[in-house]
Amino acid sequence: MSKGKYYLTTPIYYVNAAPHIGHAYTSIAAETIARFKRMQGYDVVLTTGTDEHGTKVERAAHAQGKSPEEFVDLISAEFRETWQKLDLQMDRFQRTTNKNHGKIVNELFEACKKNGYIYKGTYTGLYAVVSEAFVNDAKPGDIDPETGKPYEELTEENYFFKLSAFTDRLLEFYEKHPDFMLPEIRRNEILAFVKQGLTDLSITRTSIKWGIPVESDPAHVFYVWFDALTTYVSAVDGENRWPADLHLIGKEILRFHTVFWPAFLMAAGWELPKHVFAHGWLLFENDKMSKSRGNIVRPAPIADTMGVDALRYFLLREIVFGQDGSFSFDALVGRYNSDLANGLGNLASRSLSMLQQYREGATPPSFADNELSAEISATYKEVVAHYEAFDFSKALERVWTLITKIDKLIVQVAPWKLAKDQSLEAQQNLDRILFTSLESLRIISGLVSPVLPHSAQRIWEQLGYSDQVATHSIEEFQWNGAKLPAKIGEIAGVFPRLDTQATVQKMQDLEEVEKARQAALLGHAPKPEPSVPTAPLAPIITIDDFSKVDLRVGEVKSAEKVKGADKLLHLKVDIGEAEPRTIVAGIALAYQPEQLIGRKVVIVANLEPRKLRGLTSQGMIVAASLDGGTPVLASFLESVPVGARLK
Ligand code: MSP
């Protein structure tokens, strides 16, 4: 029986970048919520899509010799395929270039205009091309950090939206709906922004061609945010779904969703969404992911190596939803091994194989309660409450507390001893523990199914079920909620243990391939090298001269600054010898120590040792020397073993 409709959305993704795990984070979280709500009995629709208009996209297309239409088709498809690759069930995929979308944007505009909230004006300002926005606090001549060039001055006739008329109405609305913006910590920053008083917004452009035309005045196209936000309505056009129950977004776009969007809707007299939840920022090893840093992680190599559930679990367990969090390949494999392989996977194989061994796979009679039933009921209640609050990490943590308790109980009861004792009491006790572990596994597979849909299903089938665990009501996952099948299914491992180093290496190798594929797709020409005055060539040497130089591949094991020397780093580099070498390198102005750990480098291994600042440097690291002496370390595109010689 349906509990009613539930409509939730992911943001629509810009097509000027290819999908990475930051985008996947939002989509995975939204899809997990959709799954949970379905298990609660809601008729759920989850929408996503792509944000395809604006100067940035137009320029990117032209740079590739493509029309904007061709370009956006390509990148939009890339997002759709990524969600398929990650097995994310997205119910609608709305593009801002879809016809029905343009119609709704115009309807919203006309409704705002009819109600007196749109007027025509001219605007002159400094314009940031990359972020497609006028910059209010810049002076002429200021450099746009995104382009490295001065901001462009732009004057144009725009339609303005009277945002200033909504300051009080918005504050009143927030007051009346304290759970509109979630989590709680985000409220204050928005309240402070609105309380300062709002200024009107220009919502059309005449300087841009690549956008949705204003039907009543086609010299104008809509500004990207007026266009983009409206996909939330157009994605479910004609379905009687609006208003949305939840917009799930990243924290950096909170203002657009909690100030501009509700004001547009109020102005038009349309209904407002019920909740906006802003999650935190996903960092790579505590650093912002960006193309220029070259530290973007794509989801496909992870899915191909470890499966999508491992990524879902990591993102939702490791990071407190709403706060920033850090991703690293090592942490991903570490969590997988400790929680999935050793935790849930181990409990599943242990419980099922005990039943196979002692009862030939036939499920024992059920027990109304035992020492764990109260604990399991408590787990159910808490897990559901955490999911309802979108607190995934707590929900999962609670399930894992239960797993630990079951493991302990099994050790304490020692079924392997009971199995050897044929007394009625021992055999009944054996039945009890076998039933307890199976029933727990049934409950756990239901409770983790929103986060781990594929693995939960595999456990479900091994328990002997032939249907889909996700089609069951969440309420069934309490003690004795349902009868277990008479016999378990075929036992197969769910989370095989992974070798950390080999798994990380495989993902990193696949990353390189995926990175190159995406770069070709986006048509990124390789970056021009910074100019280096050509140094005069050194005198000719023979091959024998060269072979005297022993160059080796090394891996940086540790790195720290050398006290009192700004330019020097003290490195320990493994080149395949018994001990890592000490290398003192003049690269501290160009590299942070943390950046170097684990990095493969080239070492001159037979250079006479030299004393520097009290340290004996046993070799030299090879780097290109750019203008002004900036070093750039030599590195490899393919994976290379430590100790390999360059010749
Ligand atoms: N197109 C706008 C949204 C319009 S919605 C009406 C946009 N697009 S985006 O592609 O830049 O970002 C889309 C979503 O991806 C945001 O929720 C954003 O937070 C998320 N992420 C992109 N990179 C991210 C991280 N590194 N970490 C977490 N989320 C990030 O904004």
Side-chain angles (χ1 to χ4, degrees), residues 48-61:
T48 188
T50 38
D51 194 349
E52 306 182 9
H53 289 124
T55 325
K56 251 185 298 181
V57 173
E58 201 177 3
R59 288 187 184 185

Side-chain angles (χ1 to χ4, degrees), residues 11-14 20 22-23 25-26 51 225 228-229 232 249-250 252-253 257 279-282 289:
I12 52 166
Y13 300 96
Y14 284 133
H20 58 63
H23 304 119
Y25 183 48
T26 310
D51 194 349
W225 278 99
L229 288 160
Y232 295 142
I249 57 165
E252 81 289 357
I253 51 176
H257 283 80
H279 64 68
W281 201 244
L282 182 65
M289 267 190 279

Side-chain angles (χ1 to χ4, degrees), residues 624-637:
S625 179
L626 304 189
D627 248 350
T630 307
V632 177
L633 292 180
S635 57
F636 299 89
L637 287 178

Side-chain angles (χ1 to χ4, degrees), residues 332-508:
L332 169 68
V333 184
R335 268 254 174 241
Y336 171 94
N337 277 335
S338 69
D339 296 11
L340 296 177
N342 292 353
L344 180 53
N346 187 41
L347 176 68
S349 65
R350 193 179 202 187
S351 309
L352 293 162
S353 44
M354 284 195 307
L355 194 73
Q356 190 61 46
Q357 196 181 340
Y358 305 137
R359 295 287 183 261
E360 288 173 355
T363 40
S366 61
F367 289 87
D369 71 331
N370 76 346
E371 42 284 76
L372 270 186
S373 50
E375 167 69 18
I376 290 177
S377 302
T379 307
Y380 165 82
K381 283 202 191 84
E382 287 173 43
V383 169
V384 168
H386 291 318
Y387 275 135
E388 276 184 330
F390 313 129
D391 199 342
F392 307 111
S393 55
K394 280 231 182 75
L396 294 168
E397 203 181 324
R398 188 63 187 88
V399 173
W400 261 256
T401 305
L402 177 63
I403 292 176
T404 310
K405 290 199 173 155
I406 302 164
D407 278 340
K408 272 203 186 126
L409 185 69
I410 294 175
V411 172
Q412 197 188 320
V413 176
W416 42 93
K417 283 190 195 147
L418 296 174
K420 288 187 195 138
D421 179 347
Q422 289 310 315
S423 73
L424 186 62
E425 197 195 345
Q427 288 304 307
Q428 273 178 347
N429 282 341
L430 181 57
D431 274 349
R432 264 173 98 92
I433 188 71
L434 291 173
F435 179 79
T436 300
S437 63
L438 287 186
E439 173 67 349
S440 307
L441 206 53
R442 178 188 73 81
I443 290 166
I444 290 168
S445 61
L447 293 181
V448 300
S449 156
V451 178
L452 296 168
H454 308 92
S455 328
Q457 181 61 26
R458 283 207 294 280
I459 296 176
W460 190 245
E461 285 165 15
Q462 293 179 43
L463 281 168
Y465 293 102
S466 52
D467 63 349
Q468 296 288 312
V469 58
T471 57
H472 288 258
S473 160
I474 195 82
E475 285 173 15
E476 288 177 28
F477 300 104
Q478 307 185 55
W479 185 262
N480 261 351
K483 224 171 146 269
L484 290 167
K487 209 161 183 337
I488 56 169
E490 198 178 316
I491 306 176
V494 203
F495 302 109
R497 242 194 107 74
L498 296 173
D499 176 83
T500 307
Q501 224 192 340
T503 310
V504 168
Q505 190 65 52
K506 183 165 175 212
M507 287 189 282
Q508 283 172 338

